[in-house]
């Protein structure tokens, strides 16, 4: 188990590092989203794939020949016993026993530490889900034109969405309904919630890996870039929408498992909206990821 976790963490770090270096600054938001999801899945699945590479018969023949020659030479030498007992054992020293005990204790400590971190991660996730269920049951419910459930709450918080629910405060619903709903409807239409749920599973498994948190940050950023583009394509003025983002950037309550209007860096989002589209031939850089995955399968083989 510990070896699997180590392989999984190293693979995620390698694949994410290549993504951050090659693709994170490009405007291929859909491709970048797919690449990050593939990194998440590959980091969990590929280390569990065990491929055995059998030794060719040619090398087995050479080993058998060497053993035959060595046996004949040993038998021909005077003063050397013909056979050595298969059950002969070397004496075990106290130092060796102490080292073995220390290794066992360290492995037990690491397993306990990992399980504790896993339980904490799962507990935080379930706390968020409990809060979401509470938010869904409270407030005033209505439907938007796309059939999503809009939950209107009192208070001041940044709008967010989860599955087909959109959470918004009463003031925003009265004055800024159109751009906010367009943004959150884009999150729902593009099924971003399922990406975040997958990320939460991998994060719980690899809670000790700092790269998984960086990947989650970039995945949420790509979600916001996709939603921002959808809002602008909806016909909302870019300047008006950017002013809305600035206004909502001070939202106090954020749900990490939800899509939030002002979750990611505001400066990066505005720059991405103003950035020229990347050349399509640059999409070829994504082929580095499957090549690395194939190399990982070979590296993990027995």
């Amino acid at each position: 188990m510990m070896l699997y976790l180590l392989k999984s963490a190293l693979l995620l770090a390698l694949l994410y590092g290549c993504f951050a270096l090659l693709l994170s600054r490009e405007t291929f938001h859909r491709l970048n989203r797919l690449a990050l999801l593939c990194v998440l899945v590959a980091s969990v699945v590929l280390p569990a794939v065990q491929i055995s590479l059998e030794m060719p018969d040619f090398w087995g023949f050479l080993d058998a020949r060497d053993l035959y020659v060595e046996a004949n030479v040993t038998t021909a030498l005077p003063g050397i016993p013909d056979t050595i007992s298969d059950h002969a054992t070397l004496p075990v020293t106290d130092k060796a026993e102490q080292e073995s005990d220390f290794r066992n204790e360290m492995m037990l400590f690491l397993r306990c530490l990992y399980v504790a971190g896993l339980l904490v991660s799962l507990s935080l996730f379930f706390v968020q889900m409990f809060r979401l269920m509470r938010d869904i049951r409270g407030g005033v419910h209505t439907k938007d034109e796309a059939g999503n459930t809009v939950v209107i709450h009192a208070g001041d918080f940044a709008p967010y969405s989860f599955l087909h629910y959109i959470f918004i405060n009463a003031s925003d619903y009265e004055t800024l309904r159109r751009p906010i709903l367009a943004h959150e409807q884009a999150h729902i239409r593009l099924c971003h919630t399922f990406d975040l749920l997958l990320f939460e599973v991998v994060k719980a498994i690899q809670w000790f890996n700092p790269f998984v948190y960086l990947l989650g940050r970039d995945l949420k950023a790509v979600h916001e870039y996709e939603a921002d583009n959808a809002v602008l394509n909806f016909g909302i003025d870019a300047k008006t929408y950017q002013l809305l983002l600035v206004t909502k950037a001070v939202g106090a309550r954020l749900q990490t498992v939800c899509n939030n209007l002002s979750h990611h860096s505001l400066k990066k989002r505005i720059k991405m909206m103003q950035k020229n589209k990347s050349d399509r031939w640059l999409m070829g850089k994504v082929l580095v990821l499957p090549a690395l995955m194939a190399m990982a399968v070979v590296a993990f083989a027995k």
Side-chain angles (χ1 to χ4, degrees), residues 125 128 195-205 256-257:
F125 172 75
Q128 291 189 70
D195 296 5
L196 296 180
L197 291 175
L198 173 63
F199 167 71
E200 289 293 328
V201 172
V202 179
K203 185 179 73 172
I205 296 173
T256 59
V257 76

Side-chain angles (χ1 to χ4, degrees), residues 24-45:
S24 61
R25 294 181 179 85
E26 306 299 340
T27 60
F28 311 125
H29 305 318
R30 184 174 300 179
L31 179 65
N32 286 355
R33 176 191 174 192
L34 178 61
L36 289 172
L37 293 177
C38 287
V39 170
L40 287 174
V41 174
S43 67
V44 174
V45 174

Side-chain angles (χ1 to χ4, degrees), residues 21 39 47 72 111 164 177 189 211 218 225 231 268 278-279 287 292 301:
L21 182 64
V39 170
N72 289 339
R111 289 192 183 98
H164 64 279
R177 181 188 318 174
R189 185 172 64 255
F211 290 96
D218 284 2
Y225 299 153
V231 171
K268 288 184 179 180
S278 301
D279 293 332
L287 297 177
L292 289 175

Side-chain angles (χ1 to χ4, degrees), residues 95-137:
K95 182 178 180 181
E97 291 180 352
Q98 292 175 359
E99 290 178 352
S100 178
D101 292 341
F102 177 75
R103 285 195 298 268
N104 293 335
E105 291 175 359
M106 284 299 299
M107 290 302 296
L108 179 60
F109 170 75
L110 291 176
R111 289 192 183 98
C112 293
L113 181 63
Y114 173 75
V115 172
L118 177 63
L119 293 176
V120 170
S121 297
L122 292 176
S123 299
L124 293 175
F125 172 75
F126 287 122
V127 167
Q128 291 189 70
M129 297 304 297
F130 172 77
R131 290 176 177 174
L132 277 170
M133 296 302 103
R134 184 186 60 188
D135 290 346
I136 290 174
R137 289 194 298 267

Side-chain angles (χ1 to χ4, degrees), residues 234-301:
F234 188 67
I236 294 176
D237 179 67
K239 297 296 183 182
T240 302
Y241 179 64
Q242 291 169 8
L243 181 60
L244 169 64
L245 294 180
V246 173
T247 303
K248 290 301 173 184
V250 295
R253 184 172 65 178
L254 295 177
Q255 294 274 14
T256 59
V257 76
C258 299
N259 299 110
N260 297 277
L261 179 68
S262 58
H263 187 280
H264 191 60
S265 170
L266 178 61
K267 182 179 179 181
K268 288 184 179 180
R269 287 173 64 181
I270 293 178
K271 287 177 63 176
M272 189 61 70
M273 279 186 272
Q274 298 173 344
K275 189 174 183 179
N276 295 328
K277 299 294 183 182
S278 301
D279 293 332
R280 283 191 167 272
W281 68 270
L282 294 175
M283 298 174 69
K285 293 189 290 185
V286 77
L287 297 177
V288 174
L289 294 180
L292 289 175
M293 293 177 191
M295 292 174 60
V297 172
V298 176
F300 296 155

